Amino acid sequence: MSSNITLSAGVRQNLLSLQATADLMATTQNRLATGKKVNSALDNPSNFFTSQSLSDRAGDLSSLLDSIAQGIKTIEAANNGITSLTKLVQSAKSIAQQARSATAPAATYDALSITGSLPTEVIGSAIAGGANDLSAKAVNLSFTNMAETIGTKTGTADLSAGPGGAGAAGTVQIRITVAGVAKTFNVNLAGTEADFAATQAVFDATTSGTPGDTLDQYINITESAGHQLVLTAASADVDFSISAAGSGSTAATLTAVGLTATTHNSQSLLDNVIDNGGTLGTSNMILKVSGQADKTVTFGHGGGMVSTLAELNSWINSNRGAATASISGTTFSLGLGAATGNSIGFALSDVGVADALGLSLAEADYNFGTGARGGMGSLLSKTFNSDLTLGEIDTDLAAGTNIAITVDPNDGTGPQTQTVGLAGTDDLDSVVTKLKANAMLGANLDITNEAGKLKIVAKSADVDFSIAAGVATTALNMTAGSYASTSLMDRLIAAGGAEGDVFTVSANGGAAQTITFGKGTTQVSTLAEFTAALSNLSGVTTSVTGTAYTISLAEGTSQTTLAIGGSTNTVTALGTSAQTLKGVKHEGTANSTRESLQKDFNDVLNQIDGLSKDSSYNGINLLNGDDLKITFNERGTSSLTITGVTYSSSNLGLNKQNGASFQDNTIVDQVIESINTALTTLRTQASKFGSNLSTVQVRQDFTKQMVNTLQIGADNLVLADTNEEGANMLALQTRQQLSTTALSLANQANQAVLRLFG
C-alpha cells in the first residue's frame, strides 16, 4: 500500500541507506548469535546441503563407534577367558604330570618256571697221592753275620763328690766321627760340680758349637759301680777319641775325671762290609720276597742307606712282606710259610756284603730227602723256594725223564699219545707248565698244582685220557691207567635219545629257540655246553644248580607264556616234558594319590566348562559358539565377523576320567598329550583374537578420525568467522550512526522550510 507522504530525495536516500544497514546488521547479528554464516538453504544452498550431508555421515559413524567399542569389549572378554582357560588347562597338566610321577599300579601276570633234572656226568680226573709229593715246604733261613763292636771308655776317678774342686777346672775335649762326619765337643768343667750327676750333666749338655747338637746324642755317659765315668758310643756307627793335654784337653781336668787320651772306635756293619771289599755308598743288597716287588738297600751314610745291624734290621722288617725277619747278635734269620710259589731271594753287589752278613757260605736250615739248599755261593745271587724239584724227590730223576699221556677228545680224531720231557730241576709248577704247553694236553685237560699235588682233569665230559706207567709217573705219585668221562650226550643216548635231537623253548609267544644235541660245532654234548646254551636263550632266565636246572620267565604286564618241547626221549631224559604254561592275571592295587589327582583333574575340567560359559559380554560369548559382527561404515558394506569357538573341556579334547584311568601310565600319557594339544589350540585362538582385536582397534581409531574430519569439513562450510562478523557489526553500527545523523540533517532542512510558515 503506497504512502501519500512525500519525502525529499535526501531523506529518502538516507532512509534507504539506514534500512539497508539495519538489514545487514540483522544478518550479522544472526550469524553471531548462531555461529554460522549459513543457517538455511537460502543463505548458501550448496554449502548448506553439503555440510548437512557431511554432518549426517559423521553422526552415522559416531553411532557406529559405540558398537565398535562394545565389540572390542566382547573380544577382550573372550581373550580374558582364554587366558584363564589356559591357566586352568596348565593346572590340569600339572595334575596329570603329578599322577604320572606317582607309582603306577599295573595288572601283572604270574612269573612262570619250568624245572628239570639233568643226568650226571663223569669227568675223568687223576690226582697224585701219598706223602712223597711236591707240596710246598716252609723256607726258614739262618745265617751267621759278623759281629759289631761299640767303642767304650771307663774312667779311673771316683766322682761321687764331683771332680774335687776349683783346681780341677778345665776342658775335656772329645772328638767324634759319626756317619763319616767329624765333630768336636769341648766339655768345660768348673771342678766344683757337687757329684757324679752334676758332672754327667755337663758332659751331656756340651754342644759341638751347633745349638741342640749335644754330646749325649753320640756318647752315653753312665756311672760305674765305683762312680767312675763310663763313655759308650751310642751306636756302632760312632767312633770317638779323647784329646791329650795341650791338644784340646786340660791335664788337671783329665786327671780329675780319671780319663786319658785314647781312641775308642766302633766296628759297624758298614765297617765290616768295607773291610771285606765293599764300597761305601755303592755296595747293596736286593731282597726278593714272593708277592712283592724287589727291595734294594744300600750300605752307606746317605739318606735311606744303612750302616748298622740295627738299621738293617729295621729296614728288613719294613720290607720283608709276608716273611719273618730278625737280626739278633750274630744270627741273621728269614722265614716264609709253606705255599706254592713262596720264595726268598738275595742278590748282592759284592762279596763284602756277603761276608759281613754271613751269606757266602751259609746254608739254609732246609732239607728234603737227599736235596740240600746251601748258601749264596760265588754267584752272590740265589733264591730259596718253597717248592721242591723232581730231583729232590727222586735222585734218579736228576738227569730228567719223560711222561706219556694219551688223550681222546671224542671228536672223531681218535686217541692221541703225547710225550713230554721233564728235568730233575723241575718243581711242580714247572711240570704243570710243561704239560700245559703241549697243545693237545692243554686244549683238553686242566692241569694244575693242587696243594703240591699234580692234578689232571678232563676239560669236558667228552674227553677221555690215560697216563702211562714210568719213573716220572711214580715220582709224581700218579696212578697209571685210564680215566674215562661220561658226557650228557652219552646219558641221552643211553636213555633212547640220539644225536640231532632237539630241546625247544618259547617265551611270551615268541619264536621257538632250539638247542640241538650232538658233537657238531654248534651242537651240545656236555652239561657245560647245555648250561651255556640255556644261558644264551633270550627272554628267559635260566640257572643250573647241581643236576637241577630252571627256566624262568619274569612276571609281566601282558600275558606271560612259557613253552618247552623237543624230541620226546631226550626231553624225558632231561627230567621234564613238553608243556605250555600261561601266567594268571592279577589286578594291581590302585594308588590313592593317583585316585585323588584324578578327582582333582575332573574338578578342573568342571571349572573349564563353567569359565567358558561365563566369558560373555553384552550377551555374546565368543568362547561358547557365538559369532560377533562389527560394522565399520554407515552403509554396512565394511564389517568384520569374528567366528566364535566352543571351548568346553570336551571341545578342547579334554575328557573326564572315570574308573581307574589315572592308574594306567599309558592313559595318563594320552591325557598329557591331549592337554598339550589343547594348550596349542588355546594359544592359537588367543593369537587370532589378538589379531582381530588389533584390527578392530585400528578401525575404531580410523572411524574416530573420520568423524572428526567430516565434522570439521561440515563446519568449515557453514560456520561463521566470529572475528570477521564482529568487525562487520562494529562497521555497521558506525554506518547506522552515520546514516542516522545524515537522516537527521535531511530532516532539519525540511524543518527550516516549515519555520518559514511559522
Side-chain angles (χ1 to χ4, degrees), residues 322-379:
T324 59
S326 67
I327 299 178
S328 178
T330 57
T331 301
F332 172 23
S333 301
L334 281 171
L336 191 60
T340 298
N342 276 4
S343 64
I344 298 175
F346 300 96
L348 307 181
S349 64
D350 52 50
V351 72
V353 176
D355 288 344
L357 294 177
L359 301 180
S360 295
L361 301 175
E363 290 189 359
D365 182 16
Y366 183 83
N367 291 277
F368 184 83
T370 59
R373 298 184 174 185
M376 300 290 290
S378 61
L379 296 179

Short mmCIF file of all heavy atoms in Angstrom, two decimals, residues 322-379:
data_model
loop_
_atom_site.label_atom_id
_atom_site.label_comp_id
_atom_site.label_asym_id
_atom_site.label_seq_id
_atom_site.Cartn_x
_atom_site.Cartn_y
_atom_site.Cartn_z
N ALA A 322 105.51 -110.73 53.48
CA ALA A 322 104.88 -111.77 54.29
C ALA A 322 105.89 -112.59 55.09
O ALA A 322 105.51 -113.43 55.91
CB ALA A 322 104.08 -112.71 53.38
N ALA A 323 107.17 -112.36 54.86
CA ALA A 323 108.20 -113.14 55.55
C ALA A 323 108.38 -112.65 56.98
O ALA A 323 107.93 -111.58 57.37
CB ALA A 323 109.52 -113.04 54.78
N THR A 324 109.08 -113.48 57.78
CA THR A 324 109.52 -113.06 59.11
C THR A 324 111.01 -112.75 59.00
O THR A 324 111.71 -113.30 58.16
CB THR A 324 109.29 -114.16 60.15
OG1 THR A 324 110.01 -115.34 59.75
CG2 THR A 324 107.80 -114.50 60.25
N ALA A 325 111.49 -111.87 59.85
CA ALA A 325 112.90 -111.48 59.76
C ALA A 325 113.40 -111.00 61.12
O ALA A 325 112.63 -110.41 61.89
CB ALA A 325 113.08 -110.38 58.72
N SER A 326 114.68 -111.26 61.38
CA SER A 326 115.29 -110.74 62.61
C SER A 326 116.80 -110.80 62.50
O SER A 326 117.35 -111.65 61.79
CB SER A 326 114.83 -111.53 63.84
OG SER A 326 115.33 -112.86 63.79
N ILE A 327 117.47 -109.87 63.20
CA ILE A 327 118.92 -109.91 63.36
C ILE A 327 119.18 -109.80 64.85
O ILE A 327 118.88 -108.78 65.48
CB ILE A 327 119.62 -108.76 62.61
CG1 ILE A 327 119.33 -108.84 61.11
CG2 ILE A 327 121.12 -108.80 62.88
CD1 ILE A 327 119.93 -107.72 60.31
N SER A 328 119.69 -110.89 65.43
CA SER A 328 119.95 -110.91 66.87
C SER A 328 121.40 -111.34 67.09
O SER A 328 121.77 -112.49 66.84
CB SER A 328 118.99 -111.90 67.56
OG SER A 328 119.26 -111.97 68.95
N GLY A 329 122.21 -110.36 67.52
CA GLY A 329 123.63 -110.66 67.70
C GLY A 329 124.25 -111.02 66.38
O GLY A 329 124.28 -110.22 65.45
N THR A 330 124.74 -112.25 66.26
CA THR A 330 125.39 -112.68 65.02
C THR A 330 124.51 -113.63 64.22
O THR A 330 125.02 -114.36 63.35
CB THR A 330 126.73 -113.37 65.35
OG1 THR A 330 126.49 -114.48 66.23
CG2 THR A 330 127.71 -112.40 65.99
N THR A 331 123.22 -113.63 64.51
CA THR A 331 122.30 -114.51 63.77
C THR A 331 121.33 -113.67 62.94
O THR A 331 120.57 -112.85 63.47
CB THR A 331 121.51 -115.42 64.73
OG1 THR A 331 122.42 -116.21 65.50
CG2 THR A 331 120.59 -116.33 63.93
N PHE A 332 121.39 -113.90 61.62
CA PHE A 332 120.53 -113.20 60.66
C PHE A 332 119.54 -114.24 60.13
O PHE A 332 119.94 -115.22 59.48
CB PHE A 332 121.40 -112.63 59.54
CG PHE A 332 120.66 -112.03 58.36
CD1 PHE A 332 119.35 -111.58 58.48
CD2 PHE A 332 121.29 -111.92 57.13
CE1 PHE A 332 118.69 -111.03 57.40
CE2 PHE A 332 120.63 -111.38 56.03
CZ PHE A 332 119.33 -110.94 56.17
N SER A 333 118.20 -114.06 60.41
CA SER A 333 117.20 -115.08 60.08
C SER A 333 116.09 -114.49 59.21
O SER A 333 115.67 -113.34 59.37
CB SER A 333 116.57 -115.65 61.36
OG SER A 333 117.56 -116.23 62.18
N LEU A 334 115.60 -115.35 58.27
CA LEU A 334 114.43 -115.01 57.45
C LEU A 334 113.58 -116.26 57.31
O LEU A 334 114.12 -117.38 57.24
CB LEU A 334 114.85 -114.54 56.05
CG LEU A 334 115.35 -113.11 55.91
CD1 LEU A 334 115.93 -112.90 54.52
CD2 LEU A 334 114.21 -112.13 56.14
N GLY A 335 112.26 -116.09 57.27
CA GLY A 335 111.38 -117.24 57.13
C GLY A 335 110.13 -116.89 56.34
O GLY A 335 109.66 -115.76 56.35
N LEU A 336 109.57 -117.90 55.61
CA LEU A 336 108.34 -117.72 54.84
C LEU A 336 107.58 -119.03 54.87
O LEU A 336 108.17 -120.10 54.70
CB LEU A 336 108.68 -117.33 53.39
CG LEU A 336 107.52 -116.85 52.52
CD1 LEU A 336 106.87 -115.60 53.12
CD2 LEU A 336 108.01 -116.55 51.10
N GLY A 337 106.28 -118.95 55.11
CA GLY A 337 105.46 -120.15 55.25
C GLY A 337 105.42 -120.99 53.99
O GLY A 337 105.76 -120.55 52.90
N ALA A 338 104.96 -122.24 54.17
CA ALA A 338 104.86 -123.17 53.05
C ALA A 338 103.67 -122.81 52.19
O ALA A 338 102.55 -122.76 52.66
CB ALA A 338 104.72 -124.60 53.58
N ALA A 339 103.92 -122.54 50.93
CA ALA A 339 102.86 -122.26 49.97
C ALA A 339 103.46 -122.29 48.58
O ALA A 339 104.61 -121.86 48.38
CB ALA A 339 102.21 -120.91 50.23
N THR A 340 102.71 -122.80 47.64
CA THR A 340 103.20 -122.87 46.27
C THR A 340 103.60 -121.48 45.77
O THR A 340 102.82 -120.53 45.89
CB THR A 340 102.12 -123.45 45.35
OG1 THR A 340 101.83 -124.78 45.78
CG2 THR A 340 102.59 -123.48 43.90
N GLY A 341 104.79 -121.36 45.26
CA GLY A 341 105.26 -120.09 44.73
C GLY A 341 105.98 -119.23 45.73
O GLY A 341 106.57 -118.20 45.37
N ASN A 342 105.97 -119.60 47.04
CA ASN A 342 106.67 -118.80 48.04
C ASN A 342 108.18 -118.92 47.85
O ASN A 342 108.71 -120.00 47.59
CB ASN A 342 106.31 -119.24 49.45
CG ASN A 342 105.02 -118.60 49.94
OD1 ASN A 342 104.38 -117.88 49.18
ND2 ASN A 342 104.63 -118.86 51.18
N SER A 343 108.87 -117.79 48.00
CA SER A 343 110.33 -117.82 47.85
C SER A 343 110.95 -116.61 48.51
O SER A 343 110.31 -115.57 48.67
CB SER A 343 110.72 -117.85 46.36
OG SER A 343 110.32 -116.64 45.72
N ILE A 344 112.21 -116.79 48.95
CA ILE A 344 113.02 -115.69 49.48
C ILE A 344 114.32 -115.71 48.70
O ILE A 344 114.96 -116.76 48.56
CB ILE A 344 113.31 -115.85 50.98
CG1 ILE A 344 112.00 -115.83 51.78
CG2 ILE A 344 114.24 -114.73 51.47
CD1 ILE A 344 112.20 -116.11 53.27
N GLY A 345 114.74 -114.55 48.19
CA GLY A 345 115.96 -114.50 47.40
C GLY A 345 116.83 -113.32 47.76
O GLY A 345 116.36 -112.33 48.34
N PHE A 346 118.14 -113.44 47.44
CA PHE A 346 119.10 -112.36 47.65
C PHE A 346 119.90 -112.16 46.37
O PHE A 346 120.20 -113.11 45.65
CB PHE A 346 120.08 -112.69 48.78
CG PHE A 346 119.44 -112.93 50.12
CD1 PHE A 346 119.15 -114.21 50.55
CD2 PHE A 346 119.12 -111.86 50.94
CE1 PHE A 346 118.57 -114.43 51.78
CE2 PHE A 346 118.53 -112.08 52.17
CZ PHE A 346 118.25 -113.37 52.59
N ALA A 347 120.24 -110.89 46.11
CA ALA A 347 121.18 -110.56 45.04
C ALA A 347 122.10 -109.50 45.60
O ALA A 347 121.64 -108.44 46.05
CB ALA A 347 120.45 -110.06 43.80
N LEU A 348 123.43 -109.78 45.63
CA LEU A 348 124.38 -108.89 46.29
C LEU A 348 125.25 -108.18 45.26
O LEU A 348 125.53 -108.71 44.18
CB LEU A 348 125.26 -109.69 47.25
CG LEU A 348 124.50 -110.55 48.28
CD1 LEU A 348 125.50 -111.26 49.18
CD2 LEU A 348 123.54 -109.70 49.10
N SER A 349 125.71 -106.97 45.64
CA SER A 349 126.55 -106.19 44.73
C SER A 349 128.02 -106.60 44.81
O SER A 349 128.78 -106.44 43.86
CB SER A 349 126.40 -104.69 45.03
OG SER A 349 126.88 -104.41 46.33
N ASP A 350 128.48 -107.09 45.98
CA ASP A 350 129.88 -107.51 46.12
C ASP A 350 130.02 -108.47 47.28
O ASP A 350 129.11 -108.64 48.10
CB ASP A 350 130.81 -106.30 46.29
CG ASP A 350 130.35 -105.38 47.40
OD1 ASP A 350 130.07 -105.87 48.51
OD2 ASP A 350 130.25 -104.17 47.13
N VAL A 351 131.19 -109.10 47.34
CA VAL A 351 131.43 -110.11 48.36
C VAL A 351 131.51 -109.49 49.76
O VAL A 351 131.30 -110.17 50.76
CB VAL A 351 132.73 -110.90 48.03
CG1 VAL A 351 133.97 -110.02 48.25
CG2 VAL A 351 132.82 -112.17 48.84
N GLY A 352 131.84 -108.20 49.85
CA GLY A 352 131.91 -107.56 51.15
C GLY A 352 130.60 -107.66 51.90
O GLY A 352 130.57 -107.92 53.11
N VAL A 353 129.48 -107.48 51.19
CA VAL A 353 128.16 -107.59 51.83
C VAL A 353 127.91 -109.04 52.22
O VAL A 353 127.42 -109.34 53.32
CB VAL A 353 127.05 -107.07 50.89
CG1 VAL A 353 125.68 -107.27 51.51
CG2 VAL A 353 127.28 -105.61 50.55
N ALA A 354 128.23 -109.99 51.30
CA ALA A 354 128.00 -111.40 51.58
C ALA A 354 128.77 -111.85 52.81
O ALA A 354 128.24 -112.55 53.68
CB ALA A 354 128.39 -112.24 50.36
N ASP A 355 130.04 -111.44 52.93
CA ASP A 355 130.85 -111.85 54.08
C ASP A 355 130.34 -111.22 55.37
O ASP A 355 130.26 -111.88 56.41
CB ASP A 355 132.32 -111.47 53.85
CG ASP A 355 132.99 -112.35 52.79
OD1 ASP A 355 132.42 -113.42 52.48
OD2 ASP A 355 134.04 -111.95 52.27
N ALA A 356 130.01 -109.92 55.32
CA ALA A 356 129.56 -109.23 56.53
C ALA A 356 128.27 -109.83 57.06
O ALA A 356 128.05 -109.90 58.28
CB ALA A 356 129.38 -107.75 56.24
N LEU A 357 127.39 -110.30 56.14
CA LEU A 357 126.10 -110.85 56.57
C LEU A 357 126.13 -112.37 56.69
O LEU A 357 125.12 -112.98 57.04
CB LEU A 357 125.00 -110.43 55.60
CG LEU A 357 124.69 -108.93 55.57
CD1 LEU A 357 123.64 -108.62 54.51
CD2 LEU A 357 124.22 -108.45 56.94
N GLY A 358 127.29 -112.99 56.38
CA GLY A 358 127.39 -114.44 56.51
C GLY A 358 126.65 -115.20 55.44
O GLY A 358 126.25 -116.36 55.66
N LEU A 359 126.45 -114.59 54.26
CA LEU A 359 125.68 -115.24 53.21
C LEU A 359 126.53 -116.09 52.28
O LEU A 359 126.01 -116.98 51.60
CB LEU A 359 124.94 -114.18 52.38
CG LEU A 359 123.95 -113.29 53.13
CD1 LEU A 359 123.30 -112.30 52.17
CD2 LEU A 359 122.88 -114.12 53.81
N SER A 360 127.83 -115.86 52.24
CA SER A 360 128.65 -116.53 51.24
C SER A 360 128.64 -118.05 51.39
O SER A 360 128.46 -118.79 50.43
CB SER A 360 130.09 -116.01 51.32
OG SER A 360 130.13 -114.65 50.97
N LEU A 361 128.86 -118.56 52.61
CA LEU A 361 128.96 -120.00 52.83
C LEU A 361 127.79 -120.54 53.63
O LEU A 361 127.72 -121.74 53.89
CB LEU A 361 130.27 -120.33 53.56
CG LEU A 361 131.55 -119.91 52.82
CD1 LEU A 361 132.77 -120.20 53.70
CD2 LEU A 361 131.68 -120.65 51.50
N ALA A 362 126.88 -119.67 54.00
CA ALA A 362 125.79 -120.12 54.88
C ALA A 362 124.86 -121.07 54.15
O ALA A 362 124.67 -121.00 52.95
CB ALA A 362 125.00 -118.91 55.37
N GLU A 363 124.30 -122.00 54.89
CA GLU A 363 123.30 -122.90 54.35
C GLU A 363 121.98 -122.68 55.08
O GLU A 363 121.95 -122.55 56.30
CB GLU A 363 123.73 -124.37 54.52
CG GLU A 363 124.90 -124.75 53.64
CD GLU A 363 125.15 -126.25 53.69
OE1 GLU A 363 124.43 -126.94 54.41
OE2 GLU A 363 126.07 -126.71 52.99
N ALA A 364 120.90 -122.68 54.28
CA ALA A 364 119.59 -122.55 54.90
C ALA A 364 119.28 -123.81 55.68
O ALA A 364 119.65 -124.91 55.30
CB ALA A 364 118.53 -122.34 53.82
N ASP A 365 118.56 -123.64 56.76
CA ASP A 365 118.16 -124.78 57.57
C ASP A 365 116.94 -125.42 56.91
O ASP A 365 115.83 -125.36 57.42
CB ASP A 365 117.84 -124.30 58.99
CG ASP A 365 117.47 -125.47 59.90
OD1 ASP A 365 117.75 -126.61 59.52
OD2 ASP A 365 116.86 -125.20 60.95
N TYR A 366 117.17 -126.02 55.72
CA TYR A 366 116.06 -126.56 54.95
C TYR A 366 116.56 -127.72 54.10
O TYR A 366 117.42 -127.55 53.26
CB TYR A 366 115.47 -125.47 54.04
CG TYR A 366 114.26 -125.94 53.25
CD1 TYR A 366 113.00 -125.94 53.82
CD2 TYR A 366 114.41 -126.40 51.95
CE1 TYR A 366 111.91 -126.40 53.11
CE2 TYR A 366 113.32 -126.86 51.23
CZ TYR A 366 112.07 -126.86 51.82
OH TYR A 366 110.99 -127.33 51.12
N ASN A 367 116.04 -128.93 54.32
CA ASN A 367 116.45 -130.11 53.56
C ASN A 367 115.24 -131.00 53.32
O ASN A 367 114.29 -131.03 54.10
CB ASN A 367 117.51 -130.93 54.31
CG ASN A 367 118.84 -130.20 54.41
OD1 ASN A 367 119.63 -130.25 53.48
ND2 ASN A 367 119.06 -129.53 55.53
N PHE A 368 115.28 -131.71 52.19
CA PHE A 368 114.24 -132.69 51.92
C PHE A 368 114.88 -133.85 51.19
O PHE A 368 115.48 -133.67 50.13
CB PHE A 368 113.11 -132.11 51.07
CG PHE A 368 111.98 -133.07 50.85
CD1 PHE A 368 110.99 -133.21 51.81
CD2 PHE A 368 111.94 -133.89 49.73
CE1 PHE A 368 109.96 -134.12 51.63
CE2 PHE A 368 110.92 -134.80 49.55
CZ PHE A 368 109.92 -134.92 50.50
N GLY A 369 114.74 -135.04 51.75
CA GLY A 369 115.36 -136.20 51.12
C GLY A 369 116.86 -135.99 51.01
O GLY A 369 117.52 -135.64 51.98
N THR A 370 117.40 -136.21 49.82
CA THR A 370 118.84 -136.05 49.61
C THR A 370 119.19 -134.66 49.12
O THR A 370 120.36 -134.35 48.89
CB THR A 370 119.34 -137.06 48.57
OG1 THR A 370 118.62 -136.86 47.35
CG2 THR A 370 119.10 -138.48 49.06
N GLY A 371 118.20 -133.81 48.95
CA GLY A 371 118.46 -132.47 48.44
C GLY A 371 118.77 -131.51 49.57
O GLY A 371 118.21 -131.58 50.65
N ALA A 372 119.73 -130.63 49.38
CA ALA A 372 120.07 -129.62 50.38
C ALA A 372 120.17 -128.27 49.71
O ALA A 372 120.62 -128.17 48.57
CB ALA A 372 121.40 -129.97 51.06
N ARG A 373 119.74 -127.27 50.42
CA ARG A 373 119.76 -125.92 49.85
C ARG A 373 120.79 -125.10 50.59
O ARG A 373 120.59 -124.70 51.73
CB ARG A 373 118.37 -125.28 49.93
CG ARG A 373 117.38 -126.11 49.11
CD ARG A 373 116.02 -125.51 49.06
NE ARG A 373 115.19 -126.30 48.13
CZ ARG A 373 113.96 -125.97 47.79
NH1 ARG A 373 113.40 -124.91 48.29
NH2 ARG A 373 113.28 -126.72 46.96
N GLY A 374 121.92 -124.81 49.94
CA GLY A 374 123.03 -124.16 50.60
C GLY A 374 123.00 -122.65 50.50
O GLY A 374 121.97 -122.04 50.26
N GLY A 375 124.21 -122.05 50.69
CA GLY A 375 124.30 -120.60 50.74
C GLY A 375 124.33 -119.96 49.37
O GLY A 375 124.01 -120.55 48.35
N MET A 376 124.83 -118.69 49.36
CA MET A 376 124.79 -117.91 48.14
C MET A 376 125.76 -118.42 47.09
O MET A 376 125.49 -118.33 45.89
CB MET A 376 125.12 -116.44 48.43
CG MET A 376 124.17 -115.79 49.42
SD MET A 376 122.55 -115.54 48.72
CE MET A 376 122.93 -114.27 47.53
N GLY A 377 126.89 -118.94 47.55
CA GLY A 377 127.88 -119.40 46.59
C GLY A 377 128.60 -118.23 45.94
O GLY A 377 128.43 -117.07 46.30
N SER A 378 129.43 -118.52 44.94
CA SER A 378 130.26 -117.49 44.32
C SER A 378 129.47 -116.53 43.43
O SER A 378 129.95 -115.44 43.11
CB SER A 378 131.37 -118.16 43.48
OG SER A 378 130.77 -118.97 42.46
N LEU A 379 128.24 -116.92 43.04
CA LEU A 379 127.46 -116.03 42.17
C LEU A 379 126.82 -114.88 42.93
O LEU A 379 126.36 -113.91 42.33
CB LEU A 379 126.37 -116.84 41.45
CG LEU A 379 126.86 -117.92 40.49
CD1 LEU A 379 125.68 -118.65 39.89
CD2 LEU A 379 127.72 -117.30 39.40
#
